[in-house]
Amino acid sequence: MSELTILLVDDHPVVREGYRRLLERTPGYRVVAEASDATSAYQAYQKAKPNVVIMDLSLPGVGGIEALRHIRQWDRDARVLIFTMHSGAQFALKAFEAGAAGYVTKGSDAAELVNSVAIVAKGGRAMSDDVAREIAAERLAHPQSQLDELSPREMEILRLIASGWSAEEVAASLHLSLKTVRNYHYQIKGKVGARTDAHLVWLAIGAGLVGDGAKAREGRGPA
C-alpha cells in the first residue's frame, strides 16, 4: 500500500501527540484520526476506515477490549494493535481472543511499535517480547487459569464489577439489559468458582484486571 493510515486511541492528548509524531516520522505512515474513548473510537473507525487501529486498553468507562469487540463486529477485517501499559498475560490473551492482531506494551522500544504496525497492516500478528515472556511464564506456572473460561465480554464485565460499577451502570455502558448483566454476573461466578462478589474482586486483582480504580470509574454512563 502506498500510504498506511492509522487511528490512534488513547485518552491522553499529550500521549497521542507524542505517538503521532513518532509514527509520522516513518515514511508512508499517516495518522488520519484520533479518539479518547470506546465510543469515539468506534465512530472514528467508521468515518476514517484506517488500515490499522492503535488502541490503549485503559480507556474511560468501558475499556479497550470492548472497543475492540465493537469495531470488529462492524468490520471483521479490522486490524487492531493494542498498545498499553498492561503486560499481564490475561489482558493479552483476552485481547487476542477478542480479535486483536497485535499487543505491544508502552515499555517497549519505539521501533517495536513502528515495526508492529507494519506487521499488523500486512495481516500478521505482532507481540512485544515482554508480553510473550509473560504469557509463557503464566502458562508454565498455571497451565489453566480460573479466568481462561471467560469470554472477552465476560472479562470486561468482571473488570467493571470489580472496579465498583453497579449492574445498572454496566448495563447502560454496554447497552445491555439489566437482566442480561445479572445473568452474566451469575455465569462469571460459576465459571471462576467464586462464591461471593468479594471473591470475584480478589480474582480480578490477582489477574491484574483492576488496579487503576479511579480511571476505571471515569466516564460512567452510556458509551
Side-chain angles (χ1 to χ4, degrees), residues 29-40:
Y29 283 24
R30 184 164 68 94
V31 176
V32 294
E34 298 183 17
S36 60
D37 56 33
T39 299
S40 59

Side-chain angles (χ1 to χ4, degrees), residues 31-183:
V31 176
V32 294
E34 298 183 17
S36 60
D37 56 33
T39 299
S40 59
Y42 178 64
Q43 293 169 344
Y45 185 87
Q46 287 183 305
K47 182 177 180 180
K49 297 181 178 63
N51 300 126
V52 175
V53 179
I54 300 176
M55 182 186 298
D56 193 3
L57 283 182
S58 300
L59 301 176
V62 296
I65 293 289
E66 188 63 22
L68 166 61
R69 287 183 68 258
H70 205 181
I71 289 173
R72 292 274 298 172
Q73 283 176 345
W74 188 76
D75 179 5
R76 298 303 301 174
D77 295 325
R79 307 296 296 168
V80 181
L81 172 64
I82 298 299
F83 186 52
T84 180
M85 61 178 287
H86 298 292
S87 62
Q90 286 296 335
F91 276 106
L93 291 170
K94 290 306 174 183
F96 282 123
E97 188 178 335
Y103 196 104
V104 176
T105 62
K106 291 182 177 179
S108 306
D109 290 339
E112 190 153 23
L113 172 63
V114 173
N115 293 336
S116 295
V117 171
I119 292 170
V120 167
K122 293 175 182 176
R125 177 162 292 193
M127 187 186 310
S128 56
D129 290 341
D130 54 348
V131 172
R133 288 194 298 269
E134 283 286 337
I135 292 175
E138 169 71 16
R139 286 297 174 255
L140 287 172
H142 306 98
Q144 186 167 8
S145 166
Q146 289 171 289
L147 304 186
D148 283 352
E149 296 300 315
L150 299 184
S151 68
R153 167 55 66 88
E154 288 170 334
M155 187 72 88
E156 175 66 6
I157 290 175
L158 170 58
R159 184 185 71 84
L160 294 176
I161 290 173
S163 297
W165 288 47
S166 68
E168 290 80 5
E169 288 169 328
V170 174
S173 290
L174 300 182
H175 303 289
L176 299 172
S177 70
L178 184 57
K179 180 179 179 181
T180 297
V181 171
R182 286 173 174 163
N183 285 340

Side-chain angles (χ1 to χ4, degrees), residues 198-209:
H199 191 184
L200 273 184
V201 172
W202 180 80
L203 290 172
I205 292 172
L209 297 181

